[in-house]
Amino acid sequence: MNRLSLRFYILLTLPLLMIVAAFLLDTPENMIKGLKAIVLHSDVLLVDYLAVGGIGATLINSALLTLANVYLLYRLKIEPTGPIIAAVLTIAGFAFMGKNIINVWPIYVGGYLYTRYKGTSFKSVILIMMFATTLAPLVTELLISPSLGKFGFIAGFLGGVIVGFIMPPLSAHMLRVHDGYNLYNIGFTGGLLGGVLMAVKRGLGIEPEKQFILSSEYDLELKILLSAFFLFLLFLGVYLNGRSLRGYRRIMKLNGRIVTDFVQLEGFEVSLINMGIMGLMGLAVVALAKSPVNGPVVAGLLTLVGFSAFGKHPLNSLPVILGIFLGEILIFKNIHPTVLAITALFGTTLAPIAGSFGALAGIAAGMLHMFVVLNVGYLHGGINLYNNGFSGGIVATILVPILRAFGKEA
């Protein structure tokens, strides 16, 4: 078995595990009914697919989306390196809240048309397209809009195509704004683009309906499923690494700033170890926040694990998490447990700040992120799923120049 095929097989582990779990926990009839409910429900933040369609349909939705993207990567002969692993697991996670088997594909079509226009290959933008599905809720909003009626499908398709077409040049520019210190660069881009789109909608007198739909009934099942996956990654990494943690300390010395691909720099085996450790650490963070494991929390955990192959490790993530919890304790105090949990998990988008400027800077970044993230959702009206990426981009853009002026950068 060569290195390329091994990585693909490991990426297939989670969706296959989800399919098995879906049939153990639910019936095919409920899955079909639940998938229909998921596809036709508004995805504007914050909507938990577990509450909308049930556990079977949500697991199947995530599994199908993940399998489709892994197959696409395989057909394009793209080796799963750090950013690819981050993208795949981010999609798997957000298929629990906002991305479904219908609303992501128009964005991919837009990316393909962009490559045809530029005379390049689709392979060159597939990573951007996978993350650009942060604006998938826009497709759904147009698709189910009562005012558009039978034209909603066409409007939704065209809206997604436009997003996919313009995202590559936009994201490249936005990376320069925060200089790689916000790992969720597409979230920053999507937030700005979503803000413009919502400004137009509001100008036309259309205000998005606020949503806060969460489940709590599948906490135990999801904890078992995710714990098994994280332990699998950890033990497999140790086994492939000669039954040792050799090389893991080198990952902990990297600052994580874009582009820091742990797979390319330190090896796939050591990256698996980091992913497993970070996943278990993420579960501990959720428990500390006193939140059940629900759709948004699964999205946060799988995104954390994915980016643990591309920038995040305990030493640069824990200071940011600490800053977020301190912000909640000292300032907000009454934040919903799930909101606190996902802010702590997604807030690690700012891990490169701690990695480059030290733990105190990371704590400051986490506290500032807590202030910002709770207030920026209004700008894009919830159609940007990576709200923490938008907030992280703002925080990094403001904080990094100040840190550079008064501190030493690693």
Side-chain angles (χ1 to χ4, degrees):
M1 185 182 296
N2 60 50
R3 183 178 61 176
L4 181 61
S5 63
L6 174 63
R7 294 183 187 181
F8 275 107
Y9 282 127
I10 293 173
L11 286 179
L12 291 174
T13 302
L14 179 61
L16 294 177
L17 187 61
M18 287 180 176
I19 291 173
V20 172
F23 281 93
L24 289 175
L25 297 171
D26 212 339
T27 65
E29 293 78 10
N30 283 340
M31 293 179 206
I32 294 171
K33 182 179 177 181
L35 280 171
K36 182 179 179 181
I38 285 171
V39 167
L40 296 178
H41 196 283
S42 171
D43 297 314
V44 170
L45 293 175
L46 187 66
V47 176
D48 183 347
Y49 281 169
L50 291 165
V52 173
I55 191 166
T58 304
L59 287 170
I60 292 297
N61 181 63
S62 180
L64 291 177
L65 268 185
T66 307
L67 288 171
N69 278 275
V70 171
Y71 176 74
L72 184 58
L73 293 168
Y74 179 77
R75 292 290 296 177
L76 292 171
K77 298 181 180 179
I78 297 176
E79 183 177 8
T81 55
I84 293 296
I85 292 170
V88 169
L89 289 184
T90 298
I91 284 178
F94 276 91
F96 280 72
M97 55 161 294
K99 301 181 184 183
N100 60 58
I101 54 175
I102 298 296
N103 65 9
V104 301
W105 303 116
I107 295 173
Y108 286 69
V109 173
Y112 175 76
L113 293 176
Y114 173 80
T115 61
R116 298 294 292 178
Y117 173 75
K118 298 294 290 186
T120 59
S121 68
F122 186 56
K123 184 176 181 178
S124 67
V125 301
I126 182 60
L127 180 65
I128 296 173
M129 291 304 103
M130 293 172 75
F131 283 122
T133 52
T134 181
L135 290 174
L138 172 67
V139 176
T140 302
E141 288 304 294
L142 294 172
L143 176 68
I144 66 175
S145 173
S147 60
L148 293 173
K150 61 183 180 180
F151 297 105
F153 179 82
I154 297 174
F157 179 78
L158 290 176
V161 169
I162 292 170
V163 167
F165 192 87
I166 64 177
M167 191 60 82
L170 281 178
S171 61
H173 178 74
M174 295 307 165
L175 182 60
R176 296 195 293 269
V177 175
H178 57 77
D179 204 15
Y181 283 93
N182 172 40
L183 289 173
Y184 308 158
N185 179 54
I186 301 294
F188 182 45
T189 309
L192 293 173
L193 179 57
V196 172
L197 295 173
M198 286 310 305
V200 173
K201 287 187 68 175
R202 290 187 174 110
L204 296 173
I206 305 172
E207 184 68 30
E209 183 180 348
K210 295 181 180 179
Q211 300 184 106
F212 194 76
I213 303 172
L214 294 174
S215 70
S216 60
E217 57 187 303
Y218 307 113
D219 174 67
L220 179 60
E221 294 89 341
L222 291 170
K223 281 179 179 175
I224 294 172
L225 177 70
L226 292 171
S227 296
F229 179 59
F230 300 153
L231 288 170
F232 166 75
L233 294 176
L234 174 58
F235 289 126
L236 180 64
V238 171
Y239 176 77
L240 295 175
N241 196 45
R243 300 180 184 180
S244 74
L245 297 175
R246 185 179 61 256
Y248 188 52
R249 286 186 179 181
R250 291 196 298 270
I251 276 186
M252 306 274 264
K253 294 179 181 179
L254 299 172
N255 61 24
R257 180 183 172 194
I258 296 176
V259 177
T260 305
D261 184 344
F262 293 162
V263 175
Q264 297 282 47
L265 292 173
E266 301 299 337
F268 182 59
E269 298 81 2
V270 181
S271 299
L272 285 176
I273 294 172
N274 189 52
M275 291 165 66
I277 289 173
M278 289 290 284
L280 296 172
M281 187 184 83
L283 284 172
V285 168
V286 174
L288 186 62
K290 299 180 180 179
S291 171
V293 176
N294 47 37
V297 168
V298 173
L301 287 167
L302 290 181
T303 301
L304 176 72
V305 172
F307 275 88
S308 297
F310 186 56
K312 300 181 184 181
H313 54 70
L315 286 186
N316 66 5
S317 298
L318 283 172
V320 178
I321 293 171
L322 177 59
I324 288 167
F325 273 94
L326 284 176
E328 192 273 338
I329 292 170
L330 298 176
I331 309 296
F332 294 99
K333 298 180 182 178
N334 294 319
I335 285 182
H336 190 282
T338 292
V339 173
L340 175 59
I342 61 176
T343 301
L345 295 170
F346 287 124
T348 52
T349 183
L350 293 168
I353 291 181
S356 296
F357 296 99
L360 289 179
I363 292 171
M367 292 189 70
L368 185 57
H369 180 74
M370 174 61 88
F371 285 110
V372 176
V373 76
L374 297 177
N375 291 283
V376 296
Y378 173 81
L379 296 177
H380 55 75
I383 64 170
N384 174 35
L385 293 172
Y386 307 161
N387 187 53
N388 279 266
F390 183 31
S391 171
I394 294 171
V395 171
T397 299
I398 293 173
L399 192 57
V400 169
I402 297 173
L403 292 171
R404 281 176 171 166
F406 298 100
K408 184 178 179 182
E409 186 174 6

